[in-house]
């Protein structure tokens, strides 16, 4: 997951160099596959960029869904809070 997160950050920085959005990729339990990868972000315009990014990944690594939050809750150390 960390590798996909790094690839995404590099990709989006090339597309939107001045953007300062927050992106988190998480595994979510899924009955048939075991898990699926989803993105949580404060970037409301991420959908079209995901359409360009996903084909570059193997099928099992593709981001299945994304959720928009105004702010991703984080601890003072920057860890995502549940």
């Amino acid at each position: 997951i960390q590798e996909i997160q790094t690839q995404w950050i590099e990709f989006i920085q090339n597309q939107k160099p001045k953007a300062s959005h927050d992106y988190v990729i998480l595994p979510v339990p899924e009955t048939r596959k075991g898990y699926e990868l989803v993105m949580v972000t404060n970037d409301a315009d991420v959908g079209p960029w995901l359409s360009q990014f996903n084909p570059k990944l193997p099928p099992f690594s593709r981001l299945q869904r994304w959720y928009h939050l105004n702010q991703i809750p984080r601890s003072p150390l920057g860890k995502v809070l549940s």
Side-chain angles (χ1 to χ4, degrees):
I1 295 173
Q2 185 61 42
E3 182 179 329
I4 297 166
Q5 177 107 11
T6 301
Q7 289 175 8
W8 168 257
I9 296 299
E10 290 171 2
F11 171 81
I12 202 67
Q13 285 176 342
N14 287 331
Q15 305 301 318
K16 299 167 76 170
K18 297 188 186 231
S20 60
H21 297 291
D22 197 6
Y23 305 95
V24 178
I25 297 173
L26 302 168
V28 175
E30 201 274 334
T31 306
R32 191 174 61 87
K33 296 181 279 183
Y35 72 92
E36 65 181 10
L37 298 177
V38 300
M39 176 183 288
V40 180
T41 180
N42 63 352
D43 182 354
D45 300 323
V46 75
W49 299 114
L50 278 175
S51 296
Q52 292 179 31
F53 178 72
N54 263 341
K56 300 175 186 215
L57 299 172
F60 62 88
S61 296
R62 292 184 181 152
L63 301 168
Q64 302 299 314
R65 289 181 270 148
W66 64 276
Y67 298 98
H68 175 260
L69 298 176
N70 290 330
Q71 182 178 0
I72 297 175
R74 293 188 177 268
S75 73
L77 296 176
K79 293 186 178 186
V80 176
L81 300 173
S82 56

